[in-house]
Amino acid sequence: MSKETLEFQAETKQLLDLMINSIYTNREIFLRELISNASDAIDKLHFASLTNRELLEGDEDYEIFLVPDAASHTLTISDNGIGMTREEVIENLGTIAKSGTKAFLEQMKKAKEENQDISDKDLIGQFGVGFYSAFMVAEKVTVVTRKAGTQQAVRWESTADGSYTIEDCEKESRGTTVTLTLAKDFYGDSAEENFTENWKLQNLVKKYSDYVRYPIKMNFEVEETPKDDEGKPIEGAEKIKRTEIRTLNSMQPLWTRNKNEIKDEEYTEFFKNQFHEWEKPMEYFHTKAEGTVEYTSLLCIPAKAPFNLYHTDYEPGLQLYSRHVFIMDKCKDLLPDYLRFMKGLVDSPDLSLNISRELLQQSRELKSIGKALEKNILKTLGRLLSNDREKYEKFWNEYGKSLKIGIYNSMYSGSDTIDKLKDLLLFMTSQEGKLATLKEYVSRMPESQKKIYYATAKDKETIEHLPQMELLREKGLEVLYLLDPVDEFCIETLREYDGKQFHSISRGDLDLDDEASKEAKKETEDIAKKNDDLIKDIKETLGDKIAEVKVSTRLKSSAVCLVADEQGPSLSMEQTFAEMDNPLFKAKRILEINPHHELFARLQGIHEGGKDSQEFKDYCDLLYTQALLIEGILPENPVEFANKLAKLMAK
Ligand code: ADP
């Protein structure tokens, strides 16, 4: 095929612009990114070769080669990995297939607008846009690649000016060669950073890529004094120059080393390299077990949750090794789904290399390792919660949702998940707006309080303004704030904690047990009895919009509120379902009216004038719409509402 010039996809263009105008000050990491792509490509080839030996083309010496060239100011990174076909090159290097790119660009924009220090945000790695980081140091990038098992090689080239060229070419060995023509700040003796210098590259490899599983090699020119037969240098002889290939990385798997001898930074670099992490992990675990199943594991909780953690395109899972030989990436069957954010690897001599993926995933050894890891992680989280609250809350903010979804999913995974997770949950509460565990909440409950109260809304302020909150606040009762739609599903699944039921302040009867509340309840019942007709007529006027009208015991200064019945979904769950296009789940709406509000007396007056009067109908409707608005629900017909209100105001 002849040479073609193609446009980058719009988002790729934006991303390239960001790279060139460097959003990231630590430009040297481009090398790590390209080496890690090369290493991934070799992994892929190795994996494919297990079932198709021909792909190896007789070359099993996996390696990554760096060739700096000061004269042409280029740096070449080549690998003998899987390579790419023409289509794959276009797909992988011309477009950004991942849905994350948009999110990445938006985050960048936001960070810029908010004047945040972008270099701190370390966003590039979080969104996996590694290859393009080459443009942070290169004015031109040339990729020559041949896919293992095919004949035709292709050459891709771009100066990041919005387009790239692609053409057929020759390449003897399989794999990929990435050549960077360095931009002027990055070569030559006067450059601040010279990426054509051997020692510089050597240091970078040591720093960022020491544990890469394949040798990263580079040529070194060495000058030597010739030696005599006994190996002694011959004095006065002219030095001879020769080229020596050196391997720059130790390749010794970090996890095989003794824990006590590994420095914190070494762990951090390891996770950055191996798992494309960008920041120091929040927490890591390095364990060796020698029980019925022998294994070593090295896991971490990444500092930041990936943007797509809860999307279907996120692939959870740990890497598997057997006797330090890589067998599988992203093995999902080790950890339960609620720990999907964990990254890391397991190396066990008890895992067989030669069985199929499917059989491996069902193996008894794998299950038993998984169970032990889960236990370990939960124990560490528990310890963190009691010993380092600040850190735990950070963890919670990143990954709490995962645990809450875990509780909800225990409907399928089994109720022991609830027991494992319930004491790790945190909720914001009305107590100083701080996060609390359920245990802490229960320990603060006064004796007369029988239930754990909660309120749902999109944010704290909305809850604090809910009319229902007023009474609870007055009585000094603490309320859990459920601010994420998943919270309520989690609470509904839990049903109770420590024998105490959860109770929404916007649902059913509040069941307050103190003397004053009992009295208020009785009084309300009397009022309700006396106003039986009024209540009945409001219900009749509002028709299907509501299931019931009640005289309220939970309101203080507000005239009305909307609550849901004990049975069925709550109002906020109804909203969540509606957003998911699932309008089948309707809450049973109950309109509660405050008998002590002056509006109630007014209503009684109008009602005496006849239930069929337009005025009474308008009042009923306005009451209902008000209650909707308080819940954050828009009226079905806002214009009609506004007109009625205007009419009333003009009176
Ligand atoms: P990521 O590595 O996070 O997927 P990149 O932008 O670094 O994102 O790379 C995009 C894709 O290009 C990779 O997923 C891979 O399929 C392909 N690719 C990049 N470098 C190589 C390489 N050296 N050999 C084969 N494929 C590569």
Side-chain angles (χ1 to χ4, degrees), residues 42-43 45-64 79-81 173-174 213-215 217 251 325:
I42 299 175
D43 275 347
L45 174 77
H46 174 68
F47 208 71
S49 75
L50 297 178
T51 47
N52 181 4
R53 301 252 336 145
E54 279 173 22
L55 292 177
L56 292 171
E57 302 173 11
D59 172 18
E60 246 181 296
D61 293 327
Y62 301 130
E63 64 178 16
I64 298 165
D79 64 69
N80 55 356
S173 55
R174 64 150 195 270
R213 294 183 286 285
Y214 307 105
K217 297 179 180 172
M251 289 184 288
V325 178

Side-chain angles (χ1 to χ4, degrees), residues 396 400-405 407-408 425-428 435 454-458 463 480-495 502 570 572-573 576:
W396 183 256
K401 195 182 182 112
S402 230
L403 304 194
K404 291 186 285 195
I405 294 174
I407 296 241
Y408 177 61
L425 300 175
L426 290 183
F427 293 100
M428 182 78 84
L435 289 167
Y454 68 86
T456 5
K458 289 208 163 48
I463 292 185
L480 301 179
Y481 291 179
L482 309 191
L483 304 174
D484 184 331
V486 70
D487 289 356
E488 201 171 4
F489 291 91
C490 166
I491 289 287
E492 289 274 321
T493 314
L494 281 175
R495 306 196 104 99
F502 290 99
S570 68
S572 56
M573 285 167 111
T576 309

Side-chain angles (χ1 to χ4, degrees), residues 37-38 41 44 79 82-84 92-93 98 128-132 176:
N37 279 351
K44 283 181 198 157
D79 64 69
I82 190 90
M84 287 178 271
N92 292 336
L93 308 183
K98 299 186 203 74
V129 287
F131 173 76
Y132 302 98
T176 306

